[in-house]
Amino acid sequence: MAESSPDTPSSLLPPLREELGDEAAGVSDSTLLKFLGWKPSVGRAAERFRAHRTWRASNPFAFDDPARPLRVGKDPELGRVLGSDFLVAPDGMTAMDGSSVMVGRLRKNDLSDGRTVEDVVRAILYTIDRVVEREGPAGEGMTLFHDLSGLSTNNVSPMIPRILLPAIVGNLPIKIRGIYLLHAPFFFRVLFKGVSLMLPSKLKSRIHFVDSLEEVHAAIEQEQLLEEHGGKRTYSSKDWIDAQEKREEDGTLESLSDCYVAESA
């Protein structure tokens, strides 16, 4: 007797729609496939989809503020904060395990330039949204590399993880394969100690404080990194933002935004 093939995200899409019923009305197949890519189980994907919608209902500023949708073409401040390059996800940058790489340089997150904590969280969510879109149903996950050199207290706020972590942990269809924190100053380690209390043990086990780029190379090949980190990649935030805005305008950008439509007042 031939062995049955394992369930694939595509084969699980119809039963997921049936399970969600009216909750999935207006939600594209590509969006639902992101949840199945995260976990190829109808029950688990439906649970994560509902958790995401619940978080969105309680935090409309993130995706669902009609005055400033999470689109660079409709929110100039989102584009400005993204353009500071404090967090980037260059197309095609992958770790050795196939996960997409996001590069953080928090020294570029100047909280004295008028940006708010919510602005920063929205920029992070927009970047994550693009990584989730890029992965599609494959669901390889993401690896975060944060270069914390030059970091000051003016670049961080405890309110950022307080708002962001509940969105990421348990509510977004993402797999975090690893987090590498390079040259973390003492004050950041103290801050992180408090933040880590909010993290599940599995995620905490994937966080690595490192003192050299060679330790990062254990997860990300050197040539995949930006030139400033000894790699071969260049990155232009202007080009990236312009490309996203064009995709927003022509309708080819796929976003988790369609998981929830805020009710009008």
Side-chain angles (χ1 to χ4, degrees):
M1 181 182 296
E3 294 184 2
S4 59
S5 59
D7 289 326
T8 64
S10 294
S11 70
L12 293 173
L13 182 58
L16 177 60
R17 279 201 174 278
E18 182 178 358
E19 164 65 25
L20 293 173
D22 290 344
E23 295 174 89
V27 181
S28 66
D29 287 351
S30 61
T31 293
L32 291 179
L33 284 169
K34 293 166 187 172
F35 288 87
L36 288 167
W38 165 75
K39 192 70 66 175
S41 159
V42 170
R44 294 292 302 279
E47 180 182 28
R48 181 58 57 98
F49 178 87
R50 289 169 173 144
H52 177 66
R53 283 169 55 93
T54 298
W55 184 86
R56 292 266 292 275
S58 301
N59 297 272
F61 81 91
F63 286 85
D64 306 297
D65 183 348
R68 52 171 189 163
L70 195 65
R71 296 288 189 271
V72 293
K74 295 184 178 180
D75 181 7
E77 183 65 3
L78 174 61
R80 186 181 77 87
V81 175
L82 285 167
S84 66
D85 284 354
F86 79 95
L87 182 69
V88 301
D91 294 339
M93 181 183 283
T94 58
M96 292 181 182
D97 61 7
S99 59
S100 296
V101 174
M102 297 174 64
V103 180
R105 293 165 292 182
L106 289 178
R107 64 183 179 275
K108 296 177 177 286
N109 183 42
D110 184 1
L111 291 172
S112 68
D113 72 354
R115 69 185 65 186
T116 66
V117 165
E118 287 191 355
D119 292 331
V120 174
V121 171
R122 281 167 55 82
I124 294 171
L125 289 174
Y126 187 90
T127 306
I128 291 174
D129 198 23
R130 300 287 68 71
V131 172
V132 173
E133 177 192 17
R134 184 189 310 161
E135 289 183 346
E140 295 294 344
M142 61 183 67
T143 295
L144 285 77
F145 163 42
H146 283 286
D147 176 1
L148 299 173
S149 59
L151 189 70
S152 75
T153 55
N154 191 50
N155 305 128
V156 296
S157 165
M159 288 301 298
I160 295 174
R162 189 173 300 175
I163 296 173
L164 184 64
L165 286 176
I168 294 176
V169 178
N171 292 320
L172 282 172
I174 59 174
K175 303 172 186 175
I176 299 178
R177 300 295 191 183
I179 300 175
Y180 295 82
L181 305 172
L182 176 67
H183 299 323
F186 177 74
F187 82 86
F188 180 87
R189 291 174 181 263
V190 172
L191 176 64
F192 179 82
K193 189 173 182 180
V195 170
S196 67
L197 298 175
M198 298 185 285
L199 301 176
S201 57
K202 181 183 290 187
L203 180 56
K204 282 195 284 189
S205 70
R206 296 174 180 174
I207 298 174
H208 312 277
F209 284 87
V210 297
D211 298 314
S212 69
L213 283 167
E214 285 71 22
E215 293 176 87
V216 177
H217 297 162
I220 308 168
E221 291 182 359
Q222 180 175 349
E223 66 179 16
Q224 285 283 342
L225 297 174
L226 298 173
E227 288 182 339
E228 68 181 82
H229 298 125
K232 296 182 178 180
R233 287 191 175 272
T234 58
Y235 178 81
S236 165
S237 59
K238 182 181 184 305
D239 290 347
W240 187 83
I241 292 170
D242 287 347
Q244 308 319 309
E245 184 171 0
K246 181 179 180 181
R247 295 173 62 234
E248 292 171 2
E249 292 173 350
D250 65 23
T252 59
L253 183 138
E254 298 176 354
S255 172
L256 291 171
S257 293
D258 74 353
C259 289
Y260 176 83
V261 177
E263 296 181 1
S264 58

